[in-house]
């Protein structure tokens, strides 16, 4: 009986695991899009210590096969690893993502071909939580607006010494609502409590809330929150969950913050809510289409502040990311893979 090529590749790779000690001495490691995670300000040593490392800042789709063809370990951030590419890489044993997300990897194909896929978890929690409040402070304290105004002599020309161009908002005593209470959501709640805010949350599993957090229904989360921060993973059940009907439940003084996934928000509905003053403002680090096209509905909308999906990208966070990926490579080569997202290989 003829064995299908994919099955042969899988058998071959699993057989190779038995001689991992030999291969682990000199695995060829290739990074296809390293610039995003490390534009040159960090060391790749946590990864390069495990074998010869070739780093490409960026890789055009037509160059992917050529650059990856000899790799036993392939590392990517957003570069698409499709079935058609993976089936041409019979020597590949491990894929590591320089990210938590791995939707750019054809997981089914990787599993079929016996390739282990590992992601990086938890590296960005402090940075993303910090960014939530940088967006919030932009809307409550208007630091950039006031700096610009002072630089343009607004304060100097004011009739009074006491001067502000736009009213500011104190957070103490306000309610922080968190949708999705994983590690990042909990970190946001901790900072909110330190600022004197009350914290309420809604998540899929609401058995036992962390100290200082009260679980509420989703509708009450919307109606009671002075600040609503989104941290749930995107799923079929919650795609576009922040839409016109739910935005109408929010306070006109409330702020919406999204550092989770752009698809959680119906963006045309948010535009209308902001334009009609249904809510006071929105701070977004993620959009449904990234980068946004020139005609994106939220570009140019008043009181909508958008950053380029970089909440995770502080230097410290990227250092942790590279270390986690290096640890993933080392653990795999020692026969104890960690952070595996496609089963037991």
């Amino acid at each position: 009986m003829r064995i299908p090529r994919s099955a042969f590749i899988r058998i071959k790779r699993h057989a190779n695991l038995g001689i991992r000690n030999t291969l682990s001495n000199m695995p060829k490691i290739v990074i296809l899009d390293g610039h995003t995670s490390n534009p040159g300000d960090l060391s790749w040593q946590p990864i390069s210590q495990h074998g010869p490392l070739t780093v490409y800042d960026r890789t055009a789709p037509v160059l992917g096969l050529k650059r990856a063809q000899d790799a036993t370990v392939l590392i990517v951030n957003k570069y698409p690893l499709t079935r058609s590419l993976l089936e041409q890489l019979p020597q590949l044993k491990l894929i590591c993502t320089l990210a938590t997300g791995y939707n750019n990897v054809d997981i089914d194909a990787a599993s079929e071909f016996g390739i282990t896929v590992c992601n990086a978890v938890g590296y960005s929690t402090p940075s993303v939580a910090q960014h939530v409040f940088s967006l919030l402070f932009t809307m409550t304290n208007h630091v950039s607006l006031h700096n610009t105004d002072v630089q343009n002599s607004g304060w100097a020309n004011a009739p009074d010494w006491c001067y502000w161009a736009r009213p500011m908002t104190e957070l103490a005593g306000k309610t922080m609502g968190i949708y999705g209470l994983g590690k990042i959501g909990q970190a946001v709640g901790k900072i909110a409590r330190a600022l004197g805010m009350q914290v309420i949350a809604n998540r899929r599993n609401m058995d036992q809330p962390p100290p200082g957090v009260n679980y509420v229904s989703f509708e009450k989360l919307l109606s009671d929150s002075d600040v609503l921060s989104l941290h749930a993973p995107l799923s079929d059940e919650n795609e576009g969950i922040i839409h016109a009907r739910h935005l109408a439940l929010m306070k006109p003084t409330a702020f919406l913050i999204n550092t989770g996934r752009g698809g959680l928000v119906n963006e045309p509905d948010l535009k209308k809510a902001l334009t009609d003053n249904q809510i006071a403002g929105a701070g977004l680090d993620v959009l449904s289409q990234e980068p946004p096209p020139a005609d994106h509905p939220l570009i140019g909308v008043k009181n909508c502040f958008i950053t380029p999906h970089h909440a995770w990208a502080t230097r410290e966070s990227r250092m942790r990311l590279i270390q986690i990926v290096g640890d993933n490579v080392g653990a795999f080569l020692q026969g104890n893979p960690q952070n595996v997202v496609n089963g037991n290989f």
Side-chain angles (χ1 to χ4, degrees), residues 8 11 15 26 46 55 76 83 97 106 130 193 195 218 248 278 294 305 320 335:
F8 174 77
I11 292 168
M26 291 295 289
V55 179
V76 295
R83 172 177 289 272
T97 60
D106 189 323
Q130 175 179 311
R193 292 196 301 275
L195 291 170
F218 183 66
Q278 282 187 309
F305 301 89
R320 288 190 294 269

Side-chain angles (χ1 to χ4, degrees), residues 143-157:
V143 174
S144 179
L145 181 149
H146 283 106
N147 172 65
T148 299
D149 196 61
V150 170
Q151 299 291 346
N152 293 332
S153 302
W155 188 18
N157 294 330

